């Protein structure tokens, strides 16, 4: 079902390019793939940026010239320079080594950030979709999809719900990405849903502890389109992370990353009240 990483064609690196020249090259290479869908032509720089991201989102792992990756990395790193990166170590702590931060997890400089992944681990394939999986893969670069494909190929099956895999972060400001597959809640929340979500947090903490990482940032796993109730998801997250820290990662700094005001209020209150 899964193919190993396609061979990279050797090609001499290009000369130093401007950002727009890099974009033009990257778009040309990805559009050359026969499998790439035809998107509307991009004229402005902003349109080119969106087109490039869309093409990355649908890329299926075919052969790319070696120069592609050096130019892609130069482009993504230059784009990162124009953004505000938040260092995990500078965040206010509500409890010792526990913080809540509302912002873009792809701009958080922690040792590891957690990605709410799908079972394929290959990232969101919907062009320009506004999910965390799409953002992380887009800003990390195509090497992340290649590495995830290798992991899935090696184990011979899709990732199980509640488990986690760690990869390098490539062009993200963090060091590692921990990919975990959260449960999808049906009409009613079940004990199995809760156990699987708890397993996500345990698995991620274990992967981080195995690398002796000092900080990890969790997104709100399984909430949103996976329909896990926000309050209950936060309770499980806080309770499980605290338990894991006591068992095998007492000095690890944990950041609960939120996007919505609702989740910010929930996590802040739980930690201020010292839940559980």
């Amino acid at each position: 079902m899964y193919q190993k990483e396609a061979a990279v064609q050797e090609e001499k690196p290009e000369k130093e390019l401007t950002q727009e020249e890099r974009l033009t090259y990257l778009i040309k290479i990805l559009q050359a793939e026969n499998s790439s869908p035809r998107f509307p032509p991009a004229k402005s720089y902003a349109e080119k940026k969106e087109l490039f991201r869309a093409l990355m989102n649908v890329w299926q792992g075919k052969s790319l010239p070696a120069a592609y990756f050096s130019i892609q990395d130069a482009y993504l790193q230059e784009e990162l320079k124009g953004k505000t990166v938040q260092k995990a170590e500078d965040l206010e702590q509500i409890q010792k080594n526990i913080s809540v931060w509302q912002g873009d997890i792809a701009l958080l400089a922690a040792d590891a950030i957690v990605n709410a992944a799908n079972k394929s681990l290959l990232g969101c394939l919907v062009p320009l979709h506004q999910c965390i999986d799409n953002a992380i893969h887009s800003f990390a670069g195509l090497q992340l999809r290649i590495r995830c494909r290798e992991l899935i190929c090696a184990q011979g099956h899709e990732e199980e719900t509640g488990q986690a895999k760690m990869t390098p972060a490539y062009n993200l400001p963090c060091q590692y990405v921990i990919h975990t597959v959260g449960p999808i809640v049906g009409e009613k929340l079940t004990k199995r849903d809760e156990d699987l979500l708890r397993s996500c947090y345990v698995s991620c903490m274990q992967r981080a502890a195995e690398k002796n990482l000092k900080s990890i940032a969790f997104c709100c796993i399984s909430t949103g389109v996976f329909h896990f109730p926000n309050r209950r998801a936060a309770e499980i997250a806080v309770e499980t992370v605290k338990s894991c820290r006591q068992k095998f990662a007492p000095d690890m700094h944990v950041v609960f990353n939120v996007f919505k005001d609702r989740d910010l209020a929930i996590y802040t209150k739980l930690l201020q009240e010292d839940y559980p």
Side-chain angles (χ1 to χ4, degrees):
M1 177 178 179
Y2 295 96
Q3 297 179 351
K4 292 186 177 180
E5 177 186 350
V8 174
Q9 302 169 4
E10 289 300 325
E11 182 176 302
K12 292 182 179 180
E14 297 286 331
K15 64 178 179 63
E16 186 67 23
L17 303 173
T18 67
Q19 280 294 80
E20 189 157 5
E21 287 172 336
R22 288 168 178 153
L23 264 183
T24 300
Y25 169 85
L26 296 170
I27 289 170
K28 179 181 178 181
I29 293 297
L30 294 182
Q31 283 182 326
E33 292 190 4
N34 294 330
S35 60
S36 296
R38 292 301 167 189
F39 295 104
K43 296 181 180 179
S44 69
Y45 182 63
E47 289 174 343
K48 288 180 180 179
K49 289 174 67 173
E50 288 210 339
L51 175 56
F52 173 52
R53 178 168 175 171
L55 288 166
M56 291 177 72
N57 296 157
V58 300
W59 184 72
Q60 293 294 315
K62 297 199 173 180
S63 178
L64 291 171
Y68 173 89
F69 294 100
S70 61
I71 293 175
Q72 173 210 255
D73 292 353
Y75 168 77
L76 292 174
Q77 288 296 315
E78 190 64 27
E79 286 294 297
L80 184 62
K81 290 179 183 178
K83 300 175 182 178
T84 301
V85 173
Q86 173 65 56
K87 293 182 179 179
E89 62 199 54
D90 293 337
L91 292 172
E92 179 182 356
Q93 298 180 11
I94 298 179
Q95 294 184 20
K96 184 179 180 181
N97 287 333
I98 300 180
S99 302
V100 179
W101 181 64
Q102 186 176 30
D104 184 350
I105 199 170
L107 294 176
L108 184 61
D111 284 355
I113 63 172
V114 173
N115 178 28
N118 57 46
K119 290 187 175 184
S120 74
L121 296 192
L122 298 182
C124 173
L125 299 175
V126 179
L128 305 178
H129 192 251
Q130 296 301 306
C131 67
I132 187 173
D133 197 17
N134 189 297
I136 286 174
H137 274 266
S138 297
F139 300 140
L142 291 181
Q143 296 97 317
L144 182 58
R145 182 166 293 175
I146 291 171
R147 181 58 185 146
C148 287
R149 185 182 294 275
E150 289 175 340
L151 292 173
I152 291 298
C153 180
Q155 73 177 15
H157 58 81
E158 294 183 322
E159 186 72 345
E160 299 290 341
T161 303
Q163 300 304 304
K165 291 283 190 297
M166 179 182 284
T167 66
Y170 299 102
N171 292 291
L172 293 165
C174 57
Q175 295 183 46
Y176 298 96
V177 179
I178 302 177
H179 310 261
T180 191
V181 181
I184 301 175
V185 177
E187 294 183 1
K188 183 179 179 180
L189 181 66
T190 66
K191 182 179 183 300
R192 176 167 173 76
D193 294 329
E194 294 186 340
D195 289 343
L196 286 171
L197 182 62
R198 190 172 289 109
S199 178
C200 287
Y201 284 94
V202 172
S203 298
C204 290
M205 290 292 287
Q206 288 175 333
R207 299 292 85 75
E210 289 166 0
K211 284 282 188 179
N212 295 314
L213 302 187
K214 300 302 182 185
S215 61
I216 182 173
F218 286 97
C219 60
C220 299
I221 303 168
S222 278
T223 57
V225 296
F226 279 20
H227 307 299
F228 209 107
N230 296 59
R231 169 80 187 196
R232 185 59 186 140
E235 290 173 347
I236 291 171
V238 171
E239 178 183 357
T240 307
V241 162
K242 283 187 174 183
S243 176
C244 289
R245 289 182 71 245
Q246 290 178 352
K247 291 178 180 178
F248 51 79
D251 298 323
M252 190 180 297
H253 181 192
V254 175
V255 179
F256 292 109
N257 168 252
V258 299
F259 180 74
K260 298 179 180 179
D261 292 342
R262 176 185 180 187
D263 290 314
L264 176 63
I266 290 172
Y267 275 95
T268 300
K269 185 175 182 180
L270 287 175
L271 290 169
Q272 288 176 341
E273 295 176 351
D274 199 21
Y275 180 90

